[in-house]
Amino acid sequence: MDDTAIDPEFTAYPLRQLADAALQRAAQLGAEHADFRAERIRGQQIGLSDGNLETQFDSDDLGLAVRVVVDGTWGFAAVGDLTPEAAARAAADAVDVAKVAAAIAAERIELADEPAHGEVTWLSAYEIDPFDVGVADKIALLGGWSRELLAADGVDHVDASLYQVKECKFYTDGATTALQQRVRVHPSVTAVAVGADGRFETMRTLAPPAGRGYEYLTGTGWDFPAELAEIPSLLAEKMAAPSVQAGRYDLVIDPSNLFLTIHESIGHATELDRALGYEAAYAGTSFATFDKLGTLQYGSPIMHVTGDRTAEHGLATIGYDDEGVAAQSWDLIASGVLTGYQLDRRMARLKSLGRSNGCSFADSFSHMPIQRMANVSLQPATGGPSTAELIASVTDGIYIVGDKSWSIDMQRYNFQFTGQRFYRIRNGQLAGQLRDVAYQATTTDFWNAMEAVGGPQTYVLGGAFNCGKGQPGQVAPVSHGCPSVLMRGIRILNTVEEAGT
Amino acid sequence: MSGEVQSVPSPQEAVERALAAAKCDDCIVIADEGSSANLRWAGNSLTTNGVSRARQLTVVAISRSGDQARVGVVSRAGVRADQVGDVVAEAEAAAAEASPAEDAQPLIAAAAGPADSAGFDLPPTATEIGVFAGFAAELGTALGTAASAGRKLYGFAEHQLTSTYLGTSAGLRLRHDQPTGRLELNAKSADLTRSAWAGAGTRDFTDVDVTTLEADLAQRLDWAARSVELPAGRYETLLPPTAVADLLIYLYWSAGAKDALDGRTVFSKPGGGTRIGEELASLPLSLHGGRAEPGLQCAAAPGRCWCCRRAC
């Protein structure tokens, strides 16, 4: 691929010279493995409150990192100076870190083999670099959306925001040298209604964050004017909606809500480092332990979940991961059975699983790569039903749209999710909104209750910018595609009653 | 620039260069020099580690017209001497494009600034992996003790040191060194069914007694060996300070005055206004903030608002 589209300010740095200085120094100091990464990550946040600019922040993070294995122990060092001297010093620092850390290292670090990919370049799919668009244009767009909503009856406040990121990476371990760039944006608008009794409700746009450029805000991939036009009436209906009666219901869940349930109950649960206990102190473990691989009936037989770092516009999509592993797509759950995990090179070697599937990622030059989530997606049913057809098959249930709050335990097993809006389903028809709704289940009960999966026409790629994991804390962007689904007999809580208020 | 090594200015030089380059009505420049070191372990063995150094330059450009002020903020890492002017220009361009800030205030005059600005001319300080030299040896012993007793230790140790230099076009010059250290230690039974956690804050890791912490966790794991089933319901619950601290984080996030005034938090008064002055809990609890609290000392004023009294 032509690499001239990659940030020329980044490629102007002597990246190969820096890498050579670092890798040669690491080899001189006895490292049995060394890899080099240089990164520039530009970010911009714009936030408006009631149409007035509240936040505008530009960040530009630039530096290099060296990771080594010395006598079977990791060592990592990063520095913000892109000079050959700094690169060589970082290599020496990484070796020093490995020597100090050897006092607490009882397991020898070994990495799964990866084919050499040579010199490669990768660029994500977007049309307009959001950093090429003036801030005034963005503020004007968000401000226009805000004022339109504020002018509507029943809308008391409006928050509008735009997050955008451009990530440039240069990686080499001697066998693979990858130069990559990707762009992502997340526009969001929330309308707030405040009642005279002090009760307040919100309604947020469903537009997911996307691995796209500024064209996403102006008509490619999402119709913001159409969605914003519906917000006031949806919010007014929510303010007037009756509180839900707790009990068991059949649920039709929209992709705008289900993506988050997939993230929490499948995405995190199928990270092998978690399943093996390496994240037990902070992020947690997984009920889907390694001994259950190939046997755990995770969900109903119609459940097919894949991991990938290849989906177009996916937030976890990349050409090569932060260990030089080429992006792949693989099964995590097939016919409802757990069949795979997300891996980095150490995890793959540790359990003799062959090649890594490419899930190593660091969110900054200053952080050591760890195993992070791929795009984890529930596949639609070929020729499957529409959302309306799923709703039509429910006599007494609830249709759930949009994500909001959630809670899940450290094993990714007992969970509770809310949403943006909830519609009563009676005799196959929507019968108005409900409020104060949360659904609660265990992961396996929930996914085994899945009776129908929607067709490709219902499939949406949702996601988030801010999946957290690791210490020091790292955030990673990740997408989750899914169709609408039908779940039978899921427990519904009334959140107000649960809170005792 | 390929192959050419550019100079990286000292933080003081970056501040002065930026202020000299500024054409806006008011300007605030913050140069951070940060360093960190960390160790992480799981199942009685190291998982990840690292040291890092980074520098960041933040320019707040303020364009004033009558009572209105437009603000542009740009932050960039690893800024070379020849790039300082670019960062200022970007902040000024952002200010020119911004809408007026609701909370604009005049800059603080140099004479009215905080007193603890000594050391602006001194070089930054840094941490390194050696900060763990004694601690890592003691932790290695603790891991061995735990392993021989059938326990598994997990945890994270991090030390950060940031030297922050601030200058404003009103003549204010401030410098603050912020050391931050923490240890999180988590002990589990071999089958991972029992777990106990301890945390410690420190400025330099010389005062962390990991041997005592490990022994305390071992005792708590022993206590957890006897458990009773509790039906779901409401109970009086005793929380140790570390658990209360976690709850306070969410309280802190939720305590914004503007959101309360907008009617969208638990601190909003029905019909308008905030609940300041109301009794919020039946228990005689009080909550206060103090930047000079021993062990929690922080910058000369909350957050980034040393200089302009607004959220930069």
Side-chain angles (χ1 to χ4, degrees):
Chain A
M1 179 181 287
D2 176 17
D3 65 1
T4 57
I6 292 181
D7 179 4
E9 288 187 40
F10 181 63
T11 55
Y13 283 94
L15 300 170
R16 285 164 181 79
Q17 186 183 345
L18 300 174
D20 288 346
L23 298 184
Q24 285 174 16
R25 186 70 179 133
Q28 288 167 357
L29 294 172
E32 59 247 35
H33 169 88
D35 54 53
F36 171 91
R37 194 162 42 86
E39 294 196 357
R40 182 188 189 194
I41 301 177
R42 295 183 68 186
Q44 186 176 79
Q45 301 179 20
I46 297 173
L48 276 66
S49 175
D50 293 339
N52 298 310
L53 182 67
E54 190 174 64
T55 303
Q56 193 235 308
F57 182 76
D58 284 76
S59 61
D60 195 337
D61 198 28
L62 175 72
L64 63 86
V66 182
R67 187 179 69 158
V68 299
V69 179
V70 179
D71 294 332
T73 299
W74 283 127
F76 176 84
V79 64
D81 298 339
L82 270 69
T83 63
E85 294 75 19
R89 197 182 82 177
D93 286 346
V95 171
D96 286 345
V97 170
K99 289 177 179 173
V100 170
I104 60 170
E107 293 181 357
R108 188 170 184 84
I109 299 299
E110 295 180 343
L111 305 178
D113 291 337
E114 173 68 10
H117 300 291
E119 297 249 351
V120 289
T121 302
W122 182 87
L123 188 68
S124 69
Y126 64 91
E127 296 170 15
I128 302 170
D129 183 340
F131 290 91
D132 288 344
V133 178
V135 171
D137 290 346
K138 297 166 189 168
I139 292 172
L141 183 64
L142 296 177
W145 290 350
S146 300
R147 284 185 287 277
E148 185 181 318
L149 286 176
L150 283 166
D153 288 342
V155 176
D156 294 293
H157 300 287
V158 175
D159 296 327
S161 62
L162 172 64
Y163 294 83
Q164 63 182 50
V165 176
K166 181 159 74 174
E167 188 181 280
C168 301
K169 284 178 181 267
F170 174 86
Y171 168 89
T172 185
D173 53 20
T176 294
T177 299
L179 177 63
Q180 306 184 88
Q181 176 174 295
R182 60 183 188 174
V183 163
R184 53 186 177 269
V185 295
H186 185 195
S188 178
V189 182
T190 302
V192 183
V194 182
D197 60 353
R199 188 167 71 84
F200 60 95
E201 295 285 358
T202 64
M203 189 63 67
R204 197 189 68 224
T205 47
L206 304 180
R212 294 179 183 268
Y214 195 71
E215 70 278 2
Y216 187 53
L217 284 82
T218 57
T220 299
W222 200 263
D223 187 346
F224 281 94
E227 181 172 24
L228 290 164
E230 293 181 343
I231 293 280
S233 60
L234 290 169
L235 180 59
E237 186 183 354
K238 189 176 183 180
M239 281 294 280
S243 196
V244 71
Q245 177 76 43
R248 287 194 178 272
Y249 292 82
D250 295 341
L251 305 182
V252 174
I253 306 180
D254 191 80
S256 57
N257 180 274
L258 192 66
F259 87 88
L260 186 58
T261 312
I262 291 170
H263 177 89
E264 304 295 350
S265 70
I266 304 173
H268 280 306
T270 56
E271 296 170 317
L272 186 56
D273 57 350
R274 289 184 69 117
L276 295 177
Y278 287 95
E279 293 289 327
Y282 184 64
T285 58
S286 171
F287 77 96
T289 49
F290 190 69
D291 57 303
K292 296 173 182 165
L293 183 64
T295 59
L296 174 66
Q297 193 67 44
Y298 215 107
S300 64
I302 59 172
M303 184 182 190
H304 179 203
V305 178
T306 57
D308 80 78
R309 300 201 68 185
T310 57
E312 189 174 43
H313 308 304
L315 296 171
T317 299
I318 192 86
Y320 301 84
D321 79 353
D322 285 346
E323 295 183 315
V325 177
Q328 300 158 45
S329 176
W330 68 99
D331 282 352
L332 292 166
I333 298 167
S335 301
V337 176
L338 175 70
T339 55
Y341 286 100
Q342 301 162 73
L343 309 169
D344 60 16
R345 290 177 67 178
R346 190 201 171 200
M347 289 296 119
R349 181 58 164 260
L350 195 64
K351 286 298 178 185
S352 302
L353 294 171
R355 187 182 167 206
S356 164
N357 47 35
C359 293
S360 177
F361 175 75
D363 68 351
S364 158
F365 76 92
S366 62
H367 287 153
M368 187 167 172
I370 55 177
Q371 185 264 295
R372 295 310 311 268
M373 201 180 295
N375 304 309
V376 172
S377 299
L378 175 67
Q379 296 304 307
T382 304
S386 66
T387 302
E389 287 169 328
L390 290 171
I391 291 169
S393 64
V394 174
T395 303
D396 182 14
I398 298 172
Y399 173 46
I400 300 176
V401 180
D403 70 291
K404 200 171 183 186
S405 65
W406 76 97
S407 174
I408 190 164
D409 67 14
M410 295 283 275
Q411 289 75 41
R412 302 282 146 174
Y413 196 59
N414 294 285
F415 65 64
Q416 178 175 316
F417 288 83
T418 64
Q420 287 294 313
R421 46 189 186 262
F422 310 90
Y423 296 88
R424 194 78 164 92
I425 305 173
R426 291 190 191 280
N427 300 317
Q429 300 287 324
L430 297 185
Q433 284 193 47
L434 298 166
R435 60 179 170 88
D436 309 326
V437 179
Y439 60 92
Q440 183 189 47
T442 66
T443 294
T444 48
D445 283 352
F446 180 79
W447 290 109
N448 276 287
M450 186 164 66
E451 183 180 285
V453 174
Q457 71 276 29
T458 72
Y459 188 87
V460 176
L461 195 63
F465 266 27
N466 57 346
C467 172
K469 188 178 175 184
Q471 291 178 301
Q474 297 194 42
V475 292
V478 59
S479 288
H480 302 288
C482 54
S484 295
V485 298
L486 168 60
M487 303 287 193
R488 294 291 188 189
I490 303 297
R491 187 178 179 206
I492 291 292
L493 306 178
N494 181 301
T495 54
V496 173
E497 290 172 3
E498 290 293 319
T501 55
Chain B
M1 155 227 321
S2 185
E4 185 181 344
V5 177
Q6 299 286 334
S7 66
V8 177
S10 70
Q12 300 95 329
E13 183 186 355
V15 168
E16 300 302 343
R17 274 179 179 256
L19 289 173
K23 298 181 180 67
C24 51
D25 297 304
D26 284 319
C27 187
I28 302 160
V29 183
I30 302 164
D32 288 314
E33 291 271 331
S35 55
S36 70
N38 66 75
L39 295 172
R40 194 179 188 212
W41 55 97
N44 297 331
S45 185
L46 174 79
T47 53
T48 58
N49 57 31
V51 295
S52 71
R53 288 171 181 256
R55 48 170 51 103
Q56 182 159 285
L57 183 67
T58 300
V59 175
V60 183
I62 304 169
S63 173
R64 298 189 187 277
S65 176
D67 292 336
Q68 290 191 334
R70 299 170 191 271
V71 180
V73 185
V74 170
S75 181
R76 189 189 285 189
V79 177
R80 302 186 312 265
D82 64 302
Q83 294 174 321
V84 171
D86 296 341
V87 180
V88 175
E90 288 174 22
E92 289 174 337
E97 292 185 330
S99 51
E102 285 183 308
D103 52 353
Q105 296 285 333
L107 294 187
I108 294 175
D116 48 350
S117 59
F120 185 85
D121 296 328
L122 298 176
T125 49
T127 190
E128 56 187 5
I129 196 69
V131 74
F132 295 132
F135 166 78
E138 189 183 355
L139 177 62
T141 302
L143 296 179
T145 301
S148 62
R151 297 186 297 273
K152 292 184 175 180
L153 288 184
Y154 300 76
F156 179 63
E158 181 179 45
H159 191 246
Q160 299 174 315
L161 212 164
T162 302
S163 294
T164 298
Y165 297 78
L166 178 144
T168 76
S169 53
L172 196 63
R173 298 291 184 273
L174 296 174
R175 181 255 178 83
H176 178 77
D177 286 348
Q178 183 67 59
T180 307
R182 62 174 167 141
L183 165 67
E184 297 185 17
L185 193 62
N186 187 326
K188 296 180 186 296
S189 57
D191 61 1
L192 304 186
T193 59
R194 289 175 284 139
S195 181
W197 183 92
T202 178
R203 290 169 73 85
D204 57 14
F205 274 84
T206 58
D207 54 351
V208 174
D209 183 352
V210 70
T211 303
T212 299
L213 283 173
E214 198 279 328
D216 177 55
L217 291 175
Q219 182 181 47
R220 287 165 56 190
L221 280 187
D222 285 344
W223 292 344
R226 188 180 74 85
S227 63
V228 293
E229 288 291 328
L230 276 183
R234 294 180 179 276
Y235 295 89
E236 283 193 345
T237 306
L238 301 180
L239 298 177
T242 48
V244 177
D246 260 8
L247 296 174
L248 286 176
I249 292 171
Y250 197 78
L251 177 68
Y252 167 72
W253 287 344
S254 305
K258 186 173 185 306
D259 284 346
L261 278 169
D262 284 351
R264 47 174 138 172
T265 77
V266 296
F267 300 110
S268 304
K269 181 182 289 185
T274 74
R275 298 178 65 191
I276 286 176
E278 286 186 32
E279 186 175 287
L280 298 177
S282 57
L283 293 171
L285 303 174
S286 63
L287 184 67
H288 77 279
R291 63 182 170 83
E293 198 77 20
L296 299 175
Q297 299 97 319
C298 63
R304 286 292 197 191
C305 306
W306 291 3
C307 48
C308 63
R309 306 189 192 103
R310 74 182 297 278
C312 300

